[in-house]
Amino acid sequence: MLLSLNLFTFFIVLGIVGGVIGLTAVVVILITEKEIDYLEVEKKRAELEVLLNESKFLHLSSQIRPHFLFNTLNVISTLIRLDMKKEAEQATFAIASLLRYHLKEGEPLVTLQEELEYVKHYLTIQKLRFGKRLQWSFHTSEEALTMLIPLLTIQPLVENACIHGIEPSVAGGEIKVWVGYSQHTLLIEVTDNGQGVSEQVIDRFEAWKETRQESEEMQRIGIRNVHSRLIHQFGHASGLTIRRLQSGTLSQIKICYREVEA
C-alpha cells in the first residue's frame, strides 16, 4: 500500500530534522569533551602552580631559620664577651625553647598565639643584652590569636626593631606589637620609637618588591623573606610594608584570608 503524500512528507521532514538533531548532538558532545579537556588542563596547571608556590614557600621558610639562629647565637656571644656569664647561661636555656619552635617539623604555619609567645621569648633574650634600654608591649584581639600565619613572621620584624631601631639609640626605646582582625584580614604592626629606618632602605625594599632583583645593598634578609612567604602563601593582596615614623619605624603585615578561602 502506497504512502499518502502527507505521510511521505512527514517522514522526509522527520529524517531531515532527526539528522540535524543528531548532528547537533554530536557537535555538542565534541564541544563538551573539548571543554572538559580544557578544564582538566587548567586544573592540572593550577595544581602545578600551587605545588610550585608551596615549594617556594617551604624553601623560604627553611632559609629564615638559620638566619634567626645565627643572630640569636650572636646575642649569647656578645653576653660572654661582656663577661655577663649568668645572663649568657640564662639565654642559652631560653634558646632551647626557641629552637623547639623554630625547628619543628610539619607545615610551616602556626597560630598567631604561638608566634607571639616565642617573640616574647626572643625579647627576653634581648632584654639580657639591652637591660633597661629595651621595653615592649603587646596589644592583640582575642579572635586573632587562632589565625594561622607563617612561622617566623613577626620575629624578624621585632629583630630589626631591636638591631636597627633600639640598639643605635643611647636611651634605648620601646617595641610595640599590635594585632587586629576584621573582614577576613589580619593586620600585624610592629612599631619602635628608636632611630628609625632610612627612606633609602624603604625605597630599595619597595623597588625589590616590584622587580625581585637581588642587590648587594639590599641586605635585610628578614624583611624580604617575610614578604615573599606571605605572598606565596596568601596571594599578592597580602605582604609587608615599612614606613618611617617621626620617631621610629612601623612595619605592617597584611594577610588576606579571603583570597585563600575563595
Side-chain angles (χ1 to χ4, degrees), residues 5-19:
L5 180 60
N6 288 339
L7 190 58
F8 178 77
T9 303
F10 170 76
F11 279 119
I12 293 295
V13 172
L14 182 62
I16 294 173
V17 173

Side-chain angles (χ1 to χ4, degrees), residues 1-2 17 34 59 68 87-88 93 109 121 133 161 169 219 248-249:
M1 180 178 179
L2 296 175
V17 173
K34 285 187 175 294
H59 171 71
F68 162 81
E87 288 82 358
F93 281 113
L109 290 177
H121 283 305
R133 294 177 59 233
S169 174
Q219 293 296 325
T249 303

